[in-house]
Amino acid sequence: MPGACLIGRITVKNAEKWAEYRSKVPATLAPWGAELLFRGTHSASYAGDDPHRDVVVIRFPDQASIDGWHGSAAYQALLPVRAQAADVVLIAYDD
């Protein structure tokens, strides 16, 4: 299954703002052919220490789609809410 994945490592600071942000992200992903693969909360560590408690994995058709989504006006409009809601690290990986 070729494509590129975006991994978000997250520490929620404000649950209400985080819920607002999460409710709006799917509409920004749809035009880019993205699919939410996994969302979860840290349950155990087997090696190393990760300060972030939550993770999200989103598959895109390719890196260009990730770039387009991240730079889109629709997603950029959500960044102020995201900044209030959580500390987020976003990392892209190609298949």
Side-chain angles (χ1 to χ4, degrees):
M1 181 197 256
C5 283
L6 185 71
I7 310 245
R9 294 175 40 238
I10 304 145
T11 298
V12 176
K13 300 184 293 191
N14 179 314
E16 184 177 305
K17 289 286 185 183
W18 184 243
E20 176 186 350
Y21 170 80
R22 281 183 53 182
S23 73
K24 294 177 180 179
V25 169
T28 71
L29 295 169
W32 302 98
E35 174 188 9
L36 177 65
L37 296 181
F38 177 79
R39 182 185 305 274
T41 300
H42 180 245
S43 61
S45 290
Y46 297 99
D49 185 32
D50 186 352
H52 298 286
R53 305 309 298 166
D54 295 292
V55 68
V56 64
V57 180
I58 304 167
R59 177 175 289 283
F60 286 80
D62 50 38
Q63 181 63 48
S65 297
I66 295 175
D67 294 341
W69 165 78
H70 191 266
S72 70
Y75 184 67
Q76 289 293 308
L78 297 181
L79 293 184
V81 176
R82 187 187 82 186
Q84 293 174 346
D87 293 326
V88 178
V89 176
L90 294 177
I91 306 165
Y93 295 89
D94 282 322
D95 282 355

